[in-house]
Amino acid sequence: MDGRRGRVRPALAALPAVLLLVTGCTSPPAAPQPSPEPVPTTRPGTVARAEVGDRLTVTATVDRVISDTAFVVRDVDLTDGILLVLTTGPSAPAPPQLVTVRGTVIRFSHRDLDDRYRLGSPGPYRVFEGGRALVAYELTVRE
C-alpha cells in the first residue's frame, strides 16, 4: 500500500501543472481587435499648414462649380470648410459629387492664374484671393 501511495503523491503534485498546460492550450482564441477608425484624408487645418508647393490629397463633396476649370469642395475637415480646386481637365464635376483630388497647394491669385485656367470674372474668386488653393493633377469622381 505504501508503494502505491508513493506513486500517487508525485502524480497528484504534477496534476495542477498538467491542467494549466492543457487549459492554456485549449482556451478560445482572443477576439479580433477592431480596426482603427478611418482617418480623414486631411486633418483640420492641413491646407492652412501646407506650404505652397506641397502635394495634398483631399476627399470632399463638390459644393459649387465656378467654371469648367474651377470648383469648390466642402468638407468639415478643411480649413474654413471649403477649398478652391483648379483643374486643366475637360470639365469640373457637378455638385454634390464626392471627389478625391490629388494636387499641389498654391497661393491663389486671380490675376496670375486667369489666363492659364480661364477663370472668368474675378467676383466668385474674391473669397479665395491670397489664400490656399489646390491645383489638381489627378481627379477621381466617386460614385
Side-chain angles (χ1 to χ4, degrees):
M1 209 150 150
D2 274 340
R4 198 159 83 185
R5 188 181 229 179
R7 282 186 253 147
V8 172
R9 197 171 285 210
L12 287 176
L15 187 60
V18 171
L19 288 175
L20 184 61
L21 286 173
V22 170
T23 58
C25 294
T26 60
S27 63
Q33 296 297 317
S35 61
E37 294 272 331
V39 177
T41 305
T42 60
R43 289 188 169 81
T46 300
V47 175
R49 287 192 314 264
E51 298 290 329
V52 171
D54 285 354
R55 293 192 179 235
L56 191 66
T57 300
V58 175
T59 299
T61 304
V62 176
D63 183 62
R64 67 185 181 275
V65 175
I66 300 174
S67 73
D68 284 343
T69 58
F71 61 96
V72 178
V73 293
R74 177 174 298 278
D75 191 272
V76 296
D77 289 339
L78 296 172
T79 305
D80 300 327
I82 59 173
L83 177 66
L84 177 64
V85 178
L86 303 175
T87 180
T88 56
S91 64
Q97 289 179 311
L98 182 66
V99 295
T100 297
V101 181
R102 294 177 191 265
T104 304
V105 176
I106 63 164
R107 182 161 313 279
F108 181 76
S109 166
H110 184 275
R111 186 187 70 208
D112 294 343
L113 299 168
D114 185 29
D115 288 338
R116 181 172 185 184
Y117 293 99
R118 302 176 321 275
L119 299 175
S121 170
Y125 301 98
R126 280 194 173 86
V127 69
F128 303 105
E129 196 66 40
R132 302 270 175 17
L134 193 62
V135 172
Y137 60 82
E138 184 180 326
L139 174 66
T140 305
V141 177
R142 305 289 177 184
E143 306 265 340

